[in-house]
Amino acid sequence: MQDEIHEVIAKTRAVLNVNINEKNNCIAFNWNKEGKWDVYIYSLSSKLLSRITTGKDSYLEPFLSHNGKSILYLMDHEGDENYQVILRDLSTNEEKNLTNDSSHYYNSPKFSLNDEKIAMLSNKEGKPSQLYLFENGVIKELTGWSDPIFSFDWLSNDEILYVKGIYDTEIRLFNLNNYTDVILLKFEKSETFLGGVDIGRRKFLFTSNSDEYFDVGEYDVDKRSWRWIYKSKHEKFLPKYAGNSITFIEFEDGKNILKRLCSGLSSVAEGVSEYEIMGKQLVYVKNTSYKPNSLFLGELELIDNTPECLKGELINAESTYYESFDGRKIHAILYVPRIWNGIAVVNIHGGPDAHAMDAWNPISQLLALKNYLVIMPNYRGSTGFGKSFLHLNDKDLGGGDMRDVIYAARYVQRLGAKKIVALGASYGGYLTALCLVKEPEIWDAGVAIVGFYNWYTEFEKEADYLKSYDSMKMDKSLFYDRSPIFFLENLRAPILLIQSANDPRCPLEEVQQMEERLKNLGKDFELKIFTDEGHSIRKENNRIEMYELILSFLERKLH
């Protein structure tokens, strides 16, 4: 088994994007059972599982109609992320492309309560991720903000709640009858996000970090009033109504814990990444460092994605803390192999608005099974650790966060690491390259996956919503100093670059610049470009090849 472990990990399946229909007693979700993302429906009544999409494209984000007769989902062509909205009649299986516009993206389609309208997000009119309405075959823009919109929900057949902005967000209400758009809730210099909606009582749950950590509150639309429901010194997200109780996920010491608040607070399950309320039961996806994304109905496991040959063999990650350059304690996830080869890998998460946690991470698990120690630092700017920590990297991307990664390397040196590797994807790929050229003496190898390397060209050509983000988050006067491409003469360690041809977030040009410059400097590097992928390496054969490339590269350069 050991010689083929990378294939086993690459073929490990995952479930995500769960959606339910109580009327038909069924669950829709994404599953890559056949090596790519498809839409499946599981009937709780008949216990039948049906795959409803086929073809080479990926199909994502299923949303069942309320009458149970239709389903919406997104089609993605080879990772270009110009998602198209597909409507399927579940009785005839007739499929219709509602948007049919490959030059723009359309996201998060949702039926109105009577299934007569569809709201979605798009950049159709040139603005990043705005709210649109599909009705009677016509797509109409509802909002025209310069700030993007990433989440919304229906309050009634004629009212849509949505969140405007990336930071310093606000919850607004759009009325389709008179096209009024009013602000309902905003906390100054804070992030506020929409939770579950109670249609009958015209209330909704929200989370806000106005008091440092994301706490759970409730808003009464008709009274225009709000109240806190649950506060703690941990981040909370995805609050929902569940009968007479409220459920939410709380992030504690590196773990996601699904909790229920009724007369008291109780823990339901650990490792929950998403969930839905189905009557008196919870449908959720559970994943931990040693448990790939699997589907549960209460305590009943409907789909177990753990490979049989790896049961009992997977490494259980743990939380750790280390001190960074300014004395700040940095949280990290640590994979300790059973037999350590003396080499440590600093696996740098992307985002940067994300965080490492005790969750399924195939590359970290693969490397740990291959006897590498793996540390995943939650550098400053990571989510999950309060508002102040989230904004520590404002106007300083590639600064303090990079130094936190450097100090993770020094931490594993103290643990006994003889050689150290920097590895990361997306923003983590960027930080990987930056670490290698800014502190070259620490590193023995680097693996940068779908990263960017030149702030000037990245900002010019990246996806529109990322440009909105970077405009707020980065100081343009630092573009030169924080671009790895301009400091490659400092590079000492060999580097493996992995990129995709169709990536809208970190375009192919980024790695092509690196290739040319590295060649001219005579540096030790290897390059792999996947011609049929986007920002994620989704296809099974490509994942197998990528994992094999990484293991081979590290074996040849470090052993």
Side-chain angles (χ1 to χ4, degrees):
M1 181 195 75
Q2 195 69 14
D3 292 339
E4 300 174 351
I5 188 66
H6 70 281
E7 292 188 24
V8 177
I9 295 291
K11 292 178 180 179
T12 299
R13 308 308 187 205
V15 169
L16 71 162
N17 298 328
V18 173
N19 182 253
I20 58 101
N21 182 282
E22 290 191 56
K23 181 178 180 180
N24 285 9
N25 203 28
C26 65
I27 307 168
F29 55 92
N30 284 128
W31 194 16
N32 56 351
K33 183 175 185 290
E34 302 300 326
K36 71 175 190 68
W37 290 114
D38 280 302
V39 175
Y40 288 77
I41 294 179
Y42 182 80
S43 170
L44 294 173
S45 301
S46 66
K47 310 298 188 220
L48 290 178
L49 176 67
S50 304
R51 176 190 178 196
I52 66 169
T53 55
T54 57
K56 67 177 184 177
D57 292 320
S58 293
Y59 298 93
L60 300 159
E61 290 191 31
F63 191 94
L64 289 156
S65 63
H66 298 87
N67 61 20
K69 296 180 179 179
S70 305
I71 188 171
L72 295 166
Y73 46 83
L74 301 178
M75 178 178 69
D76 178 39
H77 180 65
E78 295 193 342
D80 67 3
E81 296 187 14
N82 278 339
Y83 301 109
Q84 302 300 299
V85 177
I86 307 299
L87 172 67
R88 179 182 286 265
D89 186 310
L90 292 174
S91 59
T92 66
N93 279 326
E94 180 183 356
E95 191 179 71
K96 183 179 181 181
N97 188 331
L98 299 183
T99 49
N100 200 27
D101 172 17
S102 60
S103 60
H104 299 97
Y105 59 75
Y106 300 83
N107 289 328
S108 307
K110 296 181 181 180
F111 287 106
S112 60
L113 306 181
N114 60 10
D115 296 324
E116 294 179 359
K117 304 167 188 173
I118 299 169
M120 63 185 72
L121 302 174
S122 178
N123 64 347
K124 184 176 185 291
E125 299 299 329
K127 304 178 193 70
S129 194
Q130 294 302 298
L131 191 61
Y132 283 73
L133 182 71
F134 179 91
E135 186 178 22
N136 299 321
V138 178
I139 300 174
K140 181 185 297 185
E141 185 182 45
L142 300 180
T143 59
W145 304 106
S146 57
D147 292 326
I149 297 164
F150 293 119
S151 67
F152 69 91
D153 209 345
W154 291 91
L155 177 64
S156 70
N157 287 313
D158 297 305
E159 296 169 293
I160 302 174
L161 297 160
Y162 72 92
V163 180
K164 170 181 171 282
I166 300 174
Y167 295 124
D168 200 20
T169 58
E170 57 193 47
I171 298 179
R172 303 182 66 93
L173 178 65
F174 193 99
N175 191 308
L176 295 172
N177 286 323
N178 53 24
Y179 272 58
T180 56
D181 188 343
V182 298
I183 184 171
L184 296 182
L185 187 63
K186 179 181 176 64
F187 298 93
E188 292 300 320
K189 297 182 179 179
S190 300
E191 286 71 55
T192 303
F193 297 110
L194 185 64
V197 179
D198 187 324
I199 303 297
R201 297 193 302 146
R202 292 179 60 81
K203 295 182 178 183
F204 64 82
L205 298 171
F206 66 89
T207 57
S208 180
N209 61 4
S210 61
D211 292 329
E212 186 60 29
Y213 295 94
F214 278 106
D215 294 317
V216 180
E218 182 180 56
Y219 189 93
D220 187 313
V221 176
D222 293 332
K223 293 181 179 179
R224 296 294 199 267
S225 64
W226 64 271
R227 67 186 180 102
W228 292 118
I229 289 179
Y230 176 72
K231 304 183 76 173
S232 72
K233 293 188 180 299
H234 301 289
E235 303 282 42
K236 283 77 64 183
F237 60 101
L238 293 182
K240 297 183 181 184
Y241 294 102
N244 295 323
S245 63
I246 289 171
T247 52
F248 56 89
I249 296 174
E250 190 162 15
F251 180 63
E252 295 183 46
D253 196 29
K255 297 178 184 291
N256 277 348
I257 304 173
L258 178 60
K259 295 187 175 183
R260 186 191 300 272
L261 182 65
C262 193
S263 55
L265 184 66
S266 60
S267 296
V268 178
E270 288 191 5
V272 176
S273 55
E274 58 174 292
Y275 70 99
E276 292 287 344
I277 310 296
M278 196 156 189
K280 295 182 179 181
Q281 298 195 81
L282 292 169
V283 178
Y284 59 91
V285 174
K286 179 176 181 177
N287 80 99
T288 66
S289 53
Y290 56 93
K291 177 74 175 177
N293 298 46
S294 298
L295 184 64
F296 284 76
L297 174 66
E299 295 183 359
L300 175 64
E301 189 167 22
L302 300 177
I303 296 176
D304 179 7
N305 282 312
T306 311
E308 284 297 326
C309 64
L310 291 183
K311 289 183 176 179
E313 299 295 324
L314 294 169
I315 303 296
N316 186 355
E318 58 192 63
S319 283
T320 190
Y321 294 84
Y322 64 91
E323 190 172 290
S324 193
F325 64 94
D326 57 355
R328 190 177 302 274
K329 292 290 186 181
I330 300 297
H331 174 266
I333 296 295
L334 190 67
Y335 289 73
V336 180
R338 293 181 179 88
I339 302 174
W340 187 16
N341 62 13
I343 303 172
V345 177
V346 182
N347 186 354
I348 312 165
H349 72 71
D353 285 36
H355 57 267
M357 59 182 173
D358 183 2
W360 181 246
N361 189 287
I363 291 182
S364 291
Q365 186 63 238
L366 171 62
L367 291 169
L369 291 172
K370 281 292 197 176
N371 300 325
Y372 295 89
L373 182 141
V374 182
I375 188 170
M376 302 177 67
N378 280 311
Y379 51 80
R380 63 196 62 209
S382 298
T383 54
F385 301 92
K387 179 169 63 175
S388 300
F389 192 81
L390 173 67
H391 289 287
L392 277 178
N393 65 348
D394 286 0
K395 301 298 183 181
D396 188 42
L397 299 183
D401 50 8
M402 182 203 70
R403 295 180 70 184
D404 288 340
V405 174
I406 298 295
Y407 273 73
R410 292 175 177 168
Y411 173 70
V412 294
Q413 280 180 328
R414 294 194 297 273
L415 295 181
K418 306 302 181 186
K419 295 181 180 180
I420 304 176
V421 179
L423 178 149
S426 189
Y427 189 79
Y430 158 71
L431 282 181
T432 292
L434 194 63
C435 285
L436 264 60
V437 299
K438 291 290 188 175
E439 296 280 348
E441 71 282 353
I442 294 178
W443 309 99
D444 295 283
V447 180
I449 306 166
V450 293
F452 68 93
Y453 310 102
N454 181 335
W455 268 108
Y456 296 102
T457 53
E458 169 68 9
F459 186 77
E460 178 187 357
K461 299 185 177 181
E462 66 186 347
D464 54 11
Y465 56 88
L466 289 177
K467 194 182 299 290
S468 298
Y469 173 87
D470 288 334
S471 295
M472 293 183 292
K473 197 74 172 175
M474 186 52 170
D475 182 347
K476 290 185 179 180
S477 69
L478 296 174
F479 274 11
Y480 184 88
D481 181 67
R482 303 294 168 81
S483 295
I485 189 75
F486 301 123
F487 301 94
L488 289 177
E489 66 274 8
N490 298 335
L491 184 69
R492 297 182 187 178
I495 184 170
L496 170 63
L497 300 165
I498 298 173
Q499 206 82 4
S500 298
N502 304 320
D503 191 343
R505 306 189 207 182
C506 299
L508 182 61
E509 180 186 338
E510 292 298 305
V511 82
Q512 290 173 331
Q513 295 178 64
M514 290 284 281
E515 180 185 22
E516 180 180 2
R517 181 76 173 136
L518 289 166
K519 279 183 178 179
N520 290 339
L521 291 170
K523 297 295 184 179
D524 186 357
F525 78 100
E526 296 178 18
L527 171 64
K528 172 62 185 179
I529 296 173
F530 290 102
T531 59
D532 57 349
E533 296 279 16
H535 197 60
S536 299
I537 310 302
R538 293 177 179 163
K539 298 177 181 178
E540 181 180 289
N541 59 321
N542 291 338
R543 289 200 308 276
I544 292 173
E545 183 178 358
M546 179 175 70
Y547 295 160
E548 186 173 21
L549 282 170
I550 293 170
L551 291 179
S552 172
F553 175 78
L554 297 181
E555 179 68 26
R556 286 182 285 106
K557 300 301 180 180
L558 300 177
H559 293 275

